[in-house]
Amino acid sequence: TTTVTAIATDSSGNTATCSFDVTVEDNEGPSILCPTNITVSNDTGLCSAVVNYTVSANDNCTSTTVSVNPASGSVFAVGTTTVTATATDSSGNTATCSFDVTVEDNEGPSIVCPSNITVSNDLGLCSAVVNYNVNGSDNCGATITVNPASGSVFAVGTTTVTAIATDSSGNTA
């Protein structure tokens, strides 16, 4: 706000005065620039990744305050998260933008099978019930399927057992 004062003076030195205020309001919002969508692989051994990025903003009158949620440098879980950024100038004008951060689980599970197993047939049968353990792990969790399963009846001879660890992203071992 600026006060303007006007003075009128006649040839005899008489004066009259008036004044008024001129107020200029900042109604123009800031500009904000978000990065394009970001896709990264998970951090080794984790079901997440730390992701860094830059959001910038400018304003016609003043500097702006930028808030970003989640902030750059945050830990993002496997999957897609939308990041929202808001720029606010000193007059309260705002601008927003958003982008997606996608973390892909590209780390396969691990699996440990027992060594080959040799057993004698069960008494009076041409087969044996065989028990064993297959262990697996994954940064995001894995499901283990074994065929034939532990505790199955195996006929005399050699049978190959196949074990597969599959994580939620479809990676297998």
Side-chain angles (χ1 to χ4, degrees), residues 39-43 46 48-49 77-79 102-107 139-140 169 171:
T39 301
V40 298
S41 291
N42 63 291
D43 291 343
L46 301 175
S48 60
V78 165
T102 301
V103 178
E104 296 177 339
D105 176 17
N106 293 316
E107 187 174 338
N139 59 310
C140 292
S169 296
N171 300 310

Side-chain angles (χ1 to χ4, degrees), residues 37-56:
N37 293 337
I38 299 170
T39 301
V40 298
S41 291
N42 63 291
D43 291 343
T44 302
L46 301 175
C47 196
S48 60
V50 174
V51 181
N52 294 296
Y53 43 82
T54 302
V55 175
S56 60

Side-chain angles (χ1 to χ4, degrees), residues 66-164:
V66 178
S67 63
V68 182
N69 187 23
S72 179
S74 294
V75 175
F76 289 81
V78 165
T80 300
T81 303
T82 299
V83 176
T84 302
T86 303
T88 306
D89 68 15
S90 61
S91 297
N93 300 309
T94 62
T96 61
C97 63
S98 63
F99 59 98
D100 289 336
V101 172
T102 301
V103 178
E104 296 177 339
D105 176 17
N106 293 316
E107 187 174 338
S110 64
I111 193 165
V112 178
C113 290
S115 299
N116 291 337
I117 300 170
T118 301
V119 298
S120 296
N121 63 295
D122 290 343
L123 189 60
L125 300 174
C126 196
S127 61
V129 174
V130 181
N131 292 295
Y132 46 83
N133 288 316
V134 175
N135 296 305
S137 64
D138 185 68
N139 59 310
C140 292
T143 302
I144 299 173
T145 55
V146 182
N147 188 24
S150 178
S152 295
V153 175
F154 288 80
V156 168
T158 301
T159 302
T160 300
V161 176
T162 303
I164 301 172

